[in-house]
Amino acid sequence: MVPERLRSFNKVEQSKKRITVPTNRNPRIQNANLSVNRPKIDKEKFEKPKSVNIAAEKQKILVASVERNKNLNFRIAVIQWIFISVISLLAMKAIDIQIFKSTDLTMKAEREYIRNITIQGKRGDIMDRNRKRLTTTIDTVSVAADPSIIKNKQDTASSLASILRIDKNLLEKQLNSKKSFIWIKRKISPSEADKIKQLKLNGIFFKDDFIRFHPNRELAAQVIGITGSDGKGLEGLEFSYNKNLEGRSRKIQITKDAAGRYYNEEKNIREGLKGDSLVLTIDSTIQFISENALQKAVEDNGAVSGTAIVMRPNTGEILAMALYPTFNPNSFSDFDRSRWRNRAVSDTFEPGSTMKVFVAAAVVENRYATPKSLFFCENGAYRVGGATVKDTHKYEWLTLKEIIKYSSNIGTIKLSELMGKKMLYDTLTSFGFGKKTDIEAPGDATGTLSNYKRWSKIDTAAISFGQGMTSSALQLITGISAIANDGLLIKPRIIKEVLSASGEIKQESKIEPVRQVISKETAQTVRDMMRSVVEAGGTATTAAIEGYSVCGKTGTAQKALKDGRGYSKDKYTALFVGFAPEKSPKIAVLVVVDEPPRSHYGGIVAAPAVKTIMSECFNYLKIPPDMNTADVVNSNTTPTTKSLNTKSSSNAAISPNENVSKNKPTSDIGEEKQVKHKTRYSYKNAPDVGKKVLSEQ
């Protein structure tokens, strides 16, 4: 490069060379002028030093330029090496980050904005037999927080606590934790969610959630049961079928943005994880009918509680299972825990006189007696094993059918003495007492029925008319349904089908016969005796329905004291169980009313409720009458022998050889014959029954 100074110098020299002195046409004048004006110059002296200075100057300029170029190149080289070093360091760091530390850094970053959670599929529905939803799952939200990004934790806790009605101090303690995710409250209401959203609190976010909803509120509440805040079943079918209903689970990642909000596709994923649905044998209409009738029976009689069950005898299907008082599963925490359980399955009571039909079935099945066989009922007082048993009325001679019709305790004791305690025990266990019913609902009670070898005489007597043993409501109606079903005991069931999430039938319950308890003929005979209970003069005329042949049995049982020392004098259990029509029973109904204070007789307290349930069910199910409505229903039994004296009773047509020996059935007893039975405690006022009498047992 040529320095600027040197270029200027050359330009001057070149310009000098281009300058020419103008010449005059007259040489003389020209010469004269020049000679006058131009001074004398020593050319050699002037030009030689000038040329030397210019060269030296050029050399100096060139040397300076080279020096400057060297410095510039050095600086450029240094800067280049600096850039190369920095880039190398950055490259090495990038390699370290991307290759050697990538896993740790990725995990660290994910912890900041990604959270792994386990989601549960939507809980399946519970439906009645016609697939009407009794319980379903609806969308809601839950509120959560990321404490790490909440600045003013005290104000946040105060604001949330006032809206959600939770403890402020506890919430503030949670917000001061080092966790990056905490639940504040699960399943909040829409109004609560709107109020929180309006506050626009930093670090507070909402998560899709679900809540169990019962559209019919109290309907079949104890049967269906309840679920907790974690979606797990706590009572009823929600508990026993929890694995089917709760659906599958899956782990997913939820992503958080800079504002602390989480985004995911959790809602869509849940739909594919939905649990199975249950189709019950319950009919919501019959359930509604039963609950209303039961509530009226309990409230009208001022009782503590009540239970009602409607069953199909030939299939074992439970059409209704009502309890009162009940509760609202949508807000179950507002009710006492004692209301949550299904008392029809889990609670037991002494069944009272309803046991008499099973004793009658045993003596008829084993041919110890016929409906027309006579038994002396001791004028209303009978001493057994040091205790005196009394009837509500003073009866003398009653037929077997009348013993059932008038519900004679003494007559039933005579039946138990006739067949013996072992046969009584075998009969009751064969009908299902003292055993679980194996229904799908939780809390299936066995009741109490001790082994006959431990029974004393008074124990045997008490058990024959339903005291000294206990039964659940489900056990009782199952046993009665066996009589209605021609002696065949059917396992009770409340689940009809189990459906997959797509609606396909995964499991279908079928009729499960347990055993043939009594013969068809015996069952028909016992049904005829039970029909007399509802006819004129029976203990449950309030259960009669015009046009229908209703069969039933009342029960009134004193409640045992809590300390086990005897029975209460003012607390009773009143019940009535029946079925209709007689020839081909379509439904069986049981109503139990606990501790009615005014009247405690089953025919007065419980029978009207059974009539209401039956009559309305007949209309709903379109069951036609089986009797001519113009017919007058009269009792076909032998007139009550309340005032029968020994003279008149001895005129009965009796064969001298028609007697019954100890615990052995008589093979020639026919329906047209009438036999007088007497036992060890009935000989005093008994009329003559022939040359031979019963030997003492």
Side-chain angles (χ1 to χ4, degrees):
M1 296 179 63
V2 180
E4 187 66 24
R5 184 177 178 184
L6 184 59
R7 285 199 300 269
S8 300
F9 179 80
N10 291 337
K11 288 180 180 179
V12 172
E13 290 299 321
Q14 290 176 2
S15 63
K16 287 181 178 181
K17 291 180 180 181
R18 286 196 299 268
I19 297 174
T20 56
V21 179
T23 57
N24 199 324
R25 291 183 179 180
N26 192 342
R28 291 181 180 179
I29 296 173
Q30 183 178 8
N31 294 332
N33 292 335
L34 291 172
S35 61
V36 174
N37 297 326
R38 179 179 299 173
K40 291 182 179 180
I41 299 172
D42 190 351
K43 293 183 179 180
E44 293 182 359
K45 186 177 179 179
F46 177 78
E47 292 178 355
K48 188 174 181 179
K50 187 176 182 179
S51 61
V52 172
N53 291 337
I54 291 172
E57 188 67 24
K58 287 182 179 180
Q59 187 176 1
K60 290 180 180 179
I61 292 172
L62 289 173
V63 171
S65 176
V66 171
E67 291 295 329
R68 282 196 297 273
N69 287 339
K70 287 182 180 180
N71 292 334
L72 181 61
N73 291 336
F74 177 76
R75 287 196 296 270
I76 291 172
V78 170
I79 293 172
Q80 287 177 342
W81 278 107
I82 292 173
F83 273 108
I84 292 172
S85 300
V86 171
I87 292 172
S88 298
L89 291 173
L90 291 175
M92 292 174 63
K93 189 65 176 177
I95 292 171
D96 181 55
I97 292 173
Q98 295 294 329
I99 297 177
F100 299 105
K101 296 182 179 179
S102 60
T103 303
D104 294 338
L105 293 174
T106 300
M107 293 176 63
K108 184 177 180 180
E110 287 180 350
R111 284 195 295 268
E112 295 295 326
Y113 63 88
I114 293 178
R115 183 173 180 83
N116 293 319
I117 64 170
T118 300
I119 63 169
Q120 194 74 32
K122 265 190 174 182
R123 198 169 180 84
D125 298 331
I126 297 179
M127 299 172 277
D128 79 341
R129 64 184 303 107
N130 300 311
R131 299 199 178 185
K132 294 179 182 178
R133 282 188 175 86
L134 299 174
T135 303
T136 188
T137 301
I138 60 174
D139 295 335
T140 185
V141 294
S142 294
V143 60
D146 185 350
S148 63
I149 59 175
I150 298 177
K151 295 180 179 178
N152 195 330
K153 294 179 172 56
Q154 186 175 2
D155 290 346
T156 301
S158 179
S159 300
L160 293 175
S162 61
I163 296 174
L164 300 175
R165 297 187 297 276
I166 56 179
D167 186 78
K168 174 187 172 183
N169 296 329
L170 180 61
L171 178 57
E172 186 176 349
K173 184 178 179 180
Q174 289 178 310
L175 294 178
N176 284 314
S177 67
K178 296 181 180 180
K179 296 180 179 179
S180 60
F181 179 92
I182 62 167
W183 286 113
I184 295 179
K185 189 175 181 180
R186 303 290 301 273
K187 300 174 178 35
I188 65 174
S189 66
S191 60
E192 290 174 332
D194 291 338
K195 291 178 182 179
I196 295 174
K197 288 176 182 178
Q198 291 175 3
L199 297 177
K200 297 180 180 179
L201 298 173
N202 190 33
I204 303 299
F205 58 92
F206 298 90
K207 181 178 176 294
D208 290 337
D209 211 335
F210 304 97
I211 191 171
R212 208 67 167 150
F213 178 66
H214 300 249
N216 298 303
R217 295 167 62 86
E218 294 87 357
L219 191 74
Q222 287 92 343
V223 176
I224 296 168
I226 57 176
T227 57
S229 59
D230 58 354
K232 302 290 184 181
L234 301 178
E235 292 283 351
L237 295 175
E238 293 275 25
F239 173 76
S240 58
Y241 276 81
N242 185 66
K243 289 185 179 179
N244 296 83
L245 291 166
E246 69 177 351
R248 302 182 303 277
S249 61
R250 180 182 296 177
K251 288 186 177 181
I252 66 167
Q253 289 182 338
I254 54 176
T255 307
K256 180 179 68 175
D257 65 3
R261 297 171 297 186
Y262 284 85
Y263 296 91
N264 59 82
E265 297 181 356
E266 181 181 344
K267 186 174 181 179
N268 297 330
I269 296 173
R270 283 185 187 270
E271 292 297 329
L273 302 174
K274 186 178 179 180
D276 298 335
S277 295
L278 301 182
V279 179
L280 308 184
T281 60
I282 296 287
D283 188 303
S284 57
T285 301
I286 297 178
Q287 180 74 24
F288 179 77
I289 292 170
S290 302
E291 289 185 359
N292 284 349
L294 179 65
Q295 180 178 354
K296 187 176 186 303
V298 173
E299 292 180 349
D300 288 354
N301 292 281
V304 174
S305 63
T307 302
I309 302 177
V310 181
M311 176 185 279
R312 278 186 174 167
N314 61 333
T315 64
E317 293 176 296
I318 303 295
L319 299 180
M321 188 174 280
L323 295 109
Y324 186 84
T326 183
F327 72 100
N328 184 357
N330 295 321
S331 56
F332 62 87
S333 59
D334 296 336
F335 298 84
D336 189 85
R337 294 177 64 92
S338 61
R339 296 192 184 188
W340 298 354
R341 71 179 185 277
N342 187 353
R343 301 188 301 276
V345 176
S346 62
D347 287 16
T348 60
F349 54 90
E350 294 191 350
S353 295
T354 55
M355 289 292 101
K356 294 172 183 177
V357 296
F358 302 109
V359 177
V363 296
V364 173
E365 176 71 11
N366 293 280
R367 308 196 68 182
Y368 284 107
T370 70
K372 290 186 178 180
S373 297
L374 282 168
F375 293 85
F376 186 64
C377 295
E378 308 292 341
N379 289 304
Y382 187 39
R383 191 157 184 83
V384 182
T388 301
V389 179
K390 295 182 179 182
D391 276 335
T392 54
H393 297 286
K394 295 180 179 180
Y395 300 113
E396 291 185 357
W397 288 94
L398 293 178
T399 64
L400 172 57
K401 189 172 183 178
E402 287 177 323
I403 290 172
I404 300 301
K405 179 176 182 177
Y406 303 129
S407 194
S408 169
N409 291 337
I410 296 173
T412 307
I413 294 173
K414 297 294 183 74
L415 297 178
S416 66
E417 290 176 343
L418 191 63
M419 64 179 175
K421 60 184 180 181
K422 182 180 186 304
M423 184 171 290
L424 175 60
Y425 175 80
D426 291 341
T427 298
L428 295 181
T429 55
S430 185
F431 274 101
F433 296 101
K435 302 177 181 178
K436 289 187 176 183
T437 64
D438 293 330
I439 195 171
E440 301 93 338
D444 188 14
T446 60
T448 57
L449 181 62
S450 60
N451 191 280
Y452 71 93
K453 294 179 180 179
R454 297 196 295 269
W455 293 357
S456 64
K457 290 174 182 174
I458 189 60
D459 290 335
T460 306
I463 289 172
S464 69
F465 56 83
Q467 294 205 242
M469 61 166 291
T470 61
S471 164
S472 70
L474 182 62
Q475 284 177 316
L476 180 55
I477 195 171
T478 302
I480 290 292
S481 293
I483 297 174
N485 191 39
D486 291 335
L488 180 61
L489 184 69
I490 303 294
K491 174 187 171 183
R493 55 196 175 109
I494 202 167
I495 301 296
K496 184 180 179 183
E497 297 168 338
V498 178
L499 305 179
S500 66
S502 60
E504 298 177 355
I505 298 176
K506 292 181 62 176
Q507 180 183 334
E508 186 175 7
S509 64
K510 298 180 181 180
I511 300 173
E512 295 186 40
V514 179
R515 70 182 69 88
Q516 187 74 37
V517 184
I518 54 177
S519 66
K520 181 178 179 180
E521 293 74 22
T522 299
Q524 291 173 346
T525 301
V526 175
R527 291 205 296 266
D528 179 68
M529 289 190 283
M530 293 177 67
R531 180 181 168 187
S532 68
V533 173
V534 183
E535 294 175 339
T539 57
T541 55
T542 53
I545 302 173
E546 186 178 3
Y548 293 90
S549 54
V550 178
C551 306
K553 185 67 189 77
T554 56
T556 304
Q558 286 179 286
K559 297 191 70 173
L561 297 173
K562 292 183 179 180
D563 58 7
R565 298 179 181 179
Y567 289 86
S568 172
K569 295 181 179 180
D570 57 355
K571 293 182 179 180
Y572 293 83
T573 301
L575 58 151
F576 181 81
V577 61
F579 49 82
E582 177 191 347
K583 300 299 181 183
S584 180
K586 298 297 188 293
I587 59 171
V589 181
L590 167 66
V591 170
V592 182
V593 180
D594 188 31
E595 296 186 19
R598 293 186 285 273
S599 176
H600 54 262
Y601 294 108
I604 298 174
V605 177
V610 172
K611 176 181 178 178
T612 301
I613 294 172
M614 276 192 176
S615 58
E616 293 190 26
C617 286
F618 290 156
N619 292 332
Y620 171 68
L621 298 173
K622 298 180 181 180
I623 298 174
D626 64 324
M627 297 171 59
N628 190 336
T629 56
D631 291 343
V632 178
V633 180
N634 295 314
S635 174
N636 295 322
T637 61
T638 305
T640 305
T641 56
K642 187 175 181 180
S643 59
L644 186 65
N645 56 37
T646 57
K647 183 177 180 180
S648 62
S649 62
S650 63
N651 294 329
I654 307 169
S655 171
N657 296 323
E658 290 173 347
N659 59 82
V660 180
S661 62
K662 180 180 178 181
N663 287 341
K664 293 183 180 179
T666 302
S667 60
D668 60 346
I669 293 180
E671 185 64 24
E672 73 283 354
K673 298 179 181 179
Q674 201 174 62
V675 179
K676 294 180 180 179
H677 297 278
K678 74 172 187 175
T679 62
R680 59 189 299 183
Y681 298 110
S682 62
Y683 60 87
K684 289 183 179 180
N685 299 319
D688 185 15
V689 295
K691 294 181 180 180
K692 295 183 179 181
V693 296
L694 290 170
S695 61
E696 290 190 358
Q697 297 184 21

